[in-house]
Amino acid sequence: AEVSNIERIMGNSGHTQASVQDIPEFRPNDEKVDITYLVTPNDQTYVRRITFKGNLVTNDNVLRRSMVQMEGALADSSKVERSRRRLSRLGYFASVTPRFKPVPGSPDQVDLEVEIQEQATGSFSASVGYSQSSGAVFGFSLSQDNFLGSGNNVSVGVNKSDSVTQLNFSFFDPFYTVDGVSRSINAGFSETDFKEQGSTAYKIDQARVGIGFGYPIGENQR
């Protein structure tokens, strides 16, 4: 565990190829062991290229905008771990595995490969029923968190009966701007025919549109 911690600390300062060896020295007189850690830092390394593997649906730019480690910058294990967590929080992937790969002939450079395993991000539901006041009732909803690999959320819902018709639509873009300002759009329409419910003969039509923005104020808050 200590070897891994030392390697992680060295990796945070660009020494991703550091070698750490623990050398135990037994002290038979007092039944104790001294441990000496031999640290070979090797050269500091820079990230030449970042590539993604396994993104069959998700667009490349959706992945890159969540990265904290940048190309051309000093390799930083802590930034790579933050990038992994940010990608995992998107909810599109079952696993995210980053790894450094040496660049042949360039000891001060590494490539960062991020292997991802995509998972289903959509849901669909449908319903049918009957009530005395509204008659037959039908409904369905469709939601997709990573619509066409864009990283946007789109959902549509419809409910229909003899007296009520409802349509709902929502759209969420988590990166409306490059610095992470999000935008949401919600729209809906409903029509109610009270005559079909055995009440007064009149109708009510309602339409709504709403737009919202979110500004990031921390790693996990906006």
Side-chain angles (χ1 to χ4, degrees):
E2 291 299 329
V3 170
S4 299
N5 288 335
I6 295 174
E7 290 177 341
R8 176 178 55 80
I9 293 172
M10 296 297 295
N12 293 346
S13 58
H15 296 282
T16 60
Q17 308 299 319
S19 173
V20 181
Q21 182 181 5
D22 52 346
I23 305 173
E25 182 180 349
F26 294 96
R27 295 164 54 182
N29 293 335
D30 50 12
E31 297 183 349
K32 293 183 179 180
V33 177
D34 291 335
I35 299 179
T36 301
Y37 293 96
L38 179 61
V39 180
T40 306
N42 293 317
D43 294 335
Q44 283 187 311
T45 53
Y46 293 80
V47 176
R48 183 187 67 166
R49 185 179 297 115
I50 298 176
T51 58
F52 299 94
K53 180 180 178 181
N55 54 317
L56 303 178
V57 175
T58 307
N59 296 334
D60 185 83
N61 70 299
V62 174
L63 302 170
R64 290 188 182 276
R65 68 192 185 189
S66 293
M67 296 296 294
V68 180
Q69 175 69 65
M70 297 287 106
E71 292 180 339
L74 192 69
D76 188 330
S77 298
S78 63
K79 289 184 177 181
V80 173
E81 175 58 21
R82 283 180 59 199
S83 301
R84 186 197 66 79
R85 291 198 302 264
R86 285 164 62 97
L87 288 169
S88 297
R89 281 198 300 267
L90 294 177
Y92 312 152
F93 315 118
S95 64
V96 179
T97 307
R99 58 176 64 90
F100 286 120
K101 290 191 170 183
V103 176
S106 300
D108 62 340
Q109 288 185 322
V110 291
D111 287 337
L112 176 59
E113 180 184 87
V114 183
E115 183 175 359
I116 62 174
Q117 181 181 351
E118 294 178 319
Q119 63 183 2
T121 57
S123 63
F124 173 81
S125 64
S127 61
V128 59
Y130 180 84
S131 70
Q132 288 184 326
S133 61
S134 301
V137 180
F138 303 91
F140 84 87
S141 64
L142 176 65
S143 177
Q144 180 69 53
D145 287 339
N146 187 17
F147 185 69
L148 300 179
S150 65
N152 300 327
N153 174 275
V154 177
S155 63
V156 178
V158 177
N159 289 281
K160 179 72 173 71
S161 68
D162 291 343
S163 59
V164 179
T165 299
Q166 291 181 328
L167 305 174
N168 296 289
F169 170 81
S170 68
F171 173 86
F172 178 70
D173 182 355
F175 273 84
Y176 179 61
T177 66
V178 295
D179 54 354
V181 174
S182 63
R183 180 183 67 173
S184 60
I185 300 174
N186 297 277
F189 172 79
S190 65
E191 179 186 80
T192 305
D193 187 347
F194 290 91
K195 182 179 180 180
E196 294 292 339
Q197 296 181 354
S199 183
T200 307
Y202 72 94
K203 296 181 180 181
I204 293 180
D205 294 342
Q206 295 178 314
R208 60 176 176 80
V209 175
I211 299 178
F213 296 91
Y215 187 83
I217 57 176
E219 187 74 20
N220 304 311
Q221 296 175 312
R222 68 173 51 248

